[in-house]
Amino acid sequence: EPVRAAVRQMGPGDSVSAGGSAALRVEVVGVSVSASAMESERYALYELRVNEGDACWTVLRRWSEVRALHWQLRGLPSAPRLPRSLDFAASFEPTFLSRRAACIAEYLSAALRAFACEHRSGRGPAPLLAFLSPAQHGAHGSGRVLRAAAEAASP
């Protein structure tokens, strides 16, 4: 139930935008909880909708991938800061997931403001472009997404 509520909270009407660059825009449009293949580990997946001109694609990212992106960008001038306060909690409560989604949107917005990025031309820091790329698959690729998104869509 908490996961379905979080997914409902992050519906398209309530998405969190991460604008910045006119060329590249990102919205956090959903969050779901996944489990590893052995179901020994649960984790949240944040659904990001990336827009560049007429092109639009969706990527799924874990908080650990956002942290990894931060570590790759932190040495660059104007790199945004990522709050550490959300690093150590492993909560799947809707309020916590929504706070993390807002934090991801704020971080990506700051990154897109700091660095002029264009996915098509490859302009911008390679780690940021890879993070937003539809071709980059993280550790969650083999995970099993729980039916939270489908259940949230039904009345």
Side-chain angles (χ1 to χ4, degrees):
E1 184 61 35
V3 174
R4 278 185 274 162
V7 173
R8 258 187 260 121
Q9 285 179 352
M10 293 302 301
D14 296 330
S15 62
V16 184
S17 292
S21 169
L24 207 52
R25 292 184 329 274
V26 180
E27 292 178 281
V28 180
V29 295
V31 58
S32 60
V33 175
S34 295
S36 64
M38 302 301 288
E39 297 200 28
S40 60
E41 177 191 17
R42 287 179 48 184
Y43 50 86
L45 281 175
Y46 297 87
E47 181 180 353
L48 309 177
R49 182 180 306 137
V50 184
N51 293 285
E52 183 177 36
D54 293 337
C56 179
W57 61 92
T58 301
V59 294
L60 298 175
R61 298 291 180 256
R62 294 175 64 170
W63 178 256
S64 60
E65 292 173 297
V66 177
R67 277 196 332 253
L69 172 65
H70 170 69
W71 281 101
Q72 292 174 319
L73 295 179
R74 70 186 173 101
L76 299 177
S78 304
R81 297 189 64 192
L82 184 66
R84 293 190 48 108
S85 61
L86 299 176
D87 276 356
F88 303 106
S91 174
F92 299 109
E93 292 297 317
T95 304
F96 179 79
L97 294 174
S98 293
R99 267 195 3 232
R100 263 198 180 167
C103 182
I104 291 169
E106 290 172 26
Y107 180 77
L108 292 175
S109 179
L112 292 174
R113 280 193 309 272
F115 310 112
C117 293
E118 287 184 1
H119 191 266
R120 289 180 188 154
S121 68
R123 188 178 75 182
L128 181 56
L129 293 175
F131 180 86
L132 297 173
S133 172
Q136 195 255 348
H137 299 287
H140 57 268
S142 61
R144 180 179 63 82
V145 176
L146 301 178
R147 292 187 309 257
E151 291 171 5
S154 39

